[in-house]
Amino acid sequence: MTYSDLSRRQDPHDFLERYLATHPEDVLTVGDVVPADQGVTGLIYELAARGRDEMLFCRKVDGVAVPVVSNVFASRQRIARMLGTEPSGLHEAYAARAAQPLAPRRVDSGPILEVVDTDAEVDLATVPMLRHFASDRAPYITSGIIVAEDPETGVGNLSYHRSMAHSRTELATSLHSRGDLWRMLAKYAELGRPMPIAMVIGGHPLFMLAASARVGYEVDERAIAGGLLGEPLEIVATPRHGIGVPAWSDFVLEGEIDPAARVEEGPFGEFSGYSSNRSTNNLVRVTAIMRRRQPILFDVEGGNTAEHLNLARIPRESEMAEKLKSRFPDVTAVHYPTSGTHFHCYVAVRQSRPGQARQIMLGLLGWDPYVKTVIAVDSDIDLTDDSAVLWALATHFQPHRDILTVDGLPGSPLDPSSTSDGTTSRLGLDATRGPGFDGKRIEISPDALAQARTILNSLNRQGDTHV
């Protein structure tokens, strides 16, 4: 079957082929058999321990009948390439594209319709799932993007929800973020009927990035995906409820969430670095499984990995950077460090008046419900370097003068230090130099650095490791 009327630019397989061809050094292809039980996770954590973040392509995974691609979002450089920019322009490129949404385009056919099992044919054992951590309750779907449509307006919503098999035809999932999907489920509960949903497993990376977009309830993230792609997202209708899902998907599960049904779910290795069993324990009854004839599992590595964190924080950073720079023109950069999971943020400020950094930190702590700690530094500090930020904290910060705290605010239910309802306190640390700061940074002259590079380059050419 050919799909001449569809755009190959939206095919995740085409993305993989093109990226392999143009950046082979940034893809680790594994031909050996990798265990489905923590094998992919082990590779990713070992790469990270060596300071590496390549996209991982496992051709053979024991117990899973399809190739597995993971770690796609572990590199900011890779995400920037998807958006046609460099890491320094990542926030601006994302914000510019997301600000030009394109409504999805309905099409009649697509690879996702090549195999469709319904009703009695449904068997979740045919859907590939990996165990990511020894502490996980079961193998999990980690790249599952639930698509649902408002019962009154038809506006769609995309959101990630970890899911595990509960039975042959049922999934246990968690809506712990209590975002727009949770709000939509409440609408269906008021109507006294289950909420129709479709779960897209993976997809084109820019569609996956759009599913993390921070937009209002009335905004359809499928249109954001179109903005990121630069063309309308091509969608086909699911067999029972007609929900619009990407035509180039690898797997789609169609079903319903019963607002009243509860099943056990978790624990699962979350972004905090802890195994979390905080869950809404929702049940998905699957009525159809759609797939390509030769699918690939586009997995998202869980835990406190760069992939898991980047996928959510790039849209958050972009939104916060845009808001802060618009309201406070002296903000020069915003960064969420991997070391702080989703709970720390660094902001660089070009100080022009006393109290400015404090005001900016209050704005950020109020806007982002996940951030617990903000460190403000001067604009000459590299926010992507934890050691540089900690140096600024060590040399510019005085506890009696430069701390602000706010308590009793809603935060993330997945923060293991929060209360059971997710309430947290917030902290701001002003590590800017401030007025009257007495100190001059040490310097090395450009000539001395150039001479040092010449010496070291010469030693490298000679194979000599001793000066």
Side-chain angles (χ1 to χ4, degrees):
M1 185 182 294
T2 60
Y3 307 103
S4 56
D5 62 327
L6 300 182
S7 171
R8 287 279 295 177
R9 289 175 57 194
Q10 300 186 28
D11 181 1
H13 296 202
D14 184 64
F15 163 79
L16 178 61
E17 291 171 9
R18 285 187 290 105
Y19 201 83
L20 274 166
T22 54
H23 301 286
E25 78 291 345
D26 197 31
V27 182
L28 180 62
T29 301
V30 180
D32 294 343
V33 177
V34 175
D37 187 344
Q38 303 172 72
V40 172
T41 300
L43 287 169
I44 289 171
Y45 271 80
E46 184 58 29
L47 284 173
R50 301 181 183 193
R52 295 168 57 181
D53 56 15
E54 296 102 305
M55 178 162 45
L56 186 63
F57 181 27
C58 299
R59 295 187 180 275
K60 300 174 185 177
V61 178
D62 186 34
V64 174
V66 301
V68 174
V69 174
S70 195
N71 222 35
V72 175
F73 298 95
S75 161
R76 286 175 179 266
Q77 173 69 74
R78 198 155 50 243
I79 299 171
R81 285 170 178 158
M82 296 176 200
L83 295 169
T85 188
E86 294 296 324
S88 59
L90 183 54
H91 295 157
E92 290 78 8
Y94 174 89
R97 292 201 190 192
Q100 300 181 51
L102 297 170
R105 180 171 74 93
R106 292 256 177 187
V107 295
D108 296 326
S109 65
I112 191 57
L113 297 174
E114 289 174 346
V115 181
V116 180
D117 296 329
T118 59
D119 300 323
E121 300 170 320
V122 170
D123 185 355
L124 289 171
T126 66
V127 178
M129 304 182 198
L130 305 178
R131 183 185 291 274
H132 293 81
F133 301 97
S135 52
D136 287 355
R137 184 186 186 99
Y140 264 82
I141 298 170
T142 55
S143 58
I145 298 167
I146 290 183
V147 187
E149 296 173 346
D150 185 272
E152 298 167 353
T153 66
V155 172
N157 178 74
L158 305 181
S159 50
Y160 284 92
H161 300 278
R162 70 194 199 203
S163 301
M164 52 169 270
H166 175 68
S167 73
R168 184 172 176 272
T169 60
E170 296 170 319
L171 292 170
T173 190
S174 182
L175 312 186
H176 48 254
S177 57
R178 290 177 171 81
D180 289 344
L181 189 67
W182 183 260
R183 176 180 170 186
M184 195 179 292
L185 183 62
K187 283 193 170 189
Y188 279 94
E190 290 177 2
L191 295 171
R193 55 191 175 97
M195 178 171 66
I197 63 101
M199 178 182 287
V200 180
I201 300 176
H204 190 283
L206 290 178
F207 168 77
M208 296 176 70
L209 193 62
S212 292
R214 308 241 305 182
V215 292
Y217 183 86
E218 71 287 350
V219 178
D220 193 325
E221 287 95 340
R222 292 172 297 188
I224 301 297
L228 298 184
L229 288 162
E231 61 185 24
L233 179 70
E234 295 166 338
I235 58 174
V236 298
T238 56
R240 176 168 295 181
H241 298 293
I243 299 170
V245 297
W248 289 101
S249 305
D250 279 272
F251 295 90
V252 172
L253 312 180
E254 184 186 30
E256 298 174 343
I257 298 179
D258 182 344
R262 294 290 182 271
V263 293
E264 290 190 7
E265 183 275 327
F268 173 75
E270 275 292 353
F271 64 80
S272 63
Y274 283 91
S275 179
S276 174
N277 58 5
R278 290 187 177 182
S279 175
T280 58
N281 299 303
N282 288 100
L283 177 69
V284 180
R285 295 190 175 98
V286 179
T287 56
I289 298 176
M290 309 158 67
R291 64 168 68 82
R292 296 169 76 144
R293 283 202 185 91
Q294 295 182 305
I296 294 173
L297 173 59
F298 282 81
D299 174 66
V300 172
E301 182 55 53
N304 56 340
T305 60
E307 161 152 88
H308 194 186
L309 295 168
N310 276 343
L311 186 54
R313 69 185 168 190
I314 296 301
R316 289 172 66 214
E317 283 181 352
S318 300
E319 180 199 16
M320 289 301 104
E322 185 177 36
K323 277 188 172 183
L324 286 169
K325 289 179 180 180
S326 174
R327 175 64 182 83
F328 306 108
D330 288 322
V331 170
T332 60
V334 176
H335 180 69
Y336 288 63
T338 296
S339 59
T341 67
H342 287 322
F343 304 139
H344 287 182
C345 181
Y346 303 153
V347 57
V349 182
R350 189 172 43 242
Q351 285 262 59
S352 61
R353 56 184 299 187
Q356 186 177 25
R358 182 173 290 246
Q359 186 179 28
I360 290 166
M361 289 191 294
L362 279 171
L364 186 54
L365 290 170
W367 276 328
D368 192 332
Y370 272 49
V371 169
K372 289 194 301 183
T373 302
V374 176
I375 302 178
V377 297
D378 296 286
S379 58
D380 63 336
I381 303 298
D382 181 3
L383 298 187
T384 66
D385 182 354
D386 277 347
S387 63
V389 175
L390 290 176
W391 172 80
L393 190 66
T395 56
H396 305 160
F397 171 81
Q398 281 294 318
H400 75 285
R401 181 189 65 206
D402 297 323
I403 285 180
L404 65 88
T405 61
V406 185
D407 62 13
L409 297 178
S412 169
L414 295 181
D415 176 1
S417 70
S418 69
T419 61
S420 59
D421 62 358
T423 302
T424 69
S425 55
R426 310 275 171 89
L427 173 68
L429 303 174
D430 183 356
T432 59
R433 294 181 181 90
F437 180 81
D438 183 19
K440 185 178 186 304
R441 292 192 69 168
I442 57 175
E443 297 177 2
I444 304 174
S445 72
D447 288 345
L449 289 172
Q451 185 179 27
R453 282 192 290 270
T454 299
I455 293 170
L456 292 175
N457 289 339
S458 175
L459 290 172
N460 287 338
R461 283 193 300 270
Q462 297 169 19
D464 191 349
T465 58
H466 301 285
V467 177

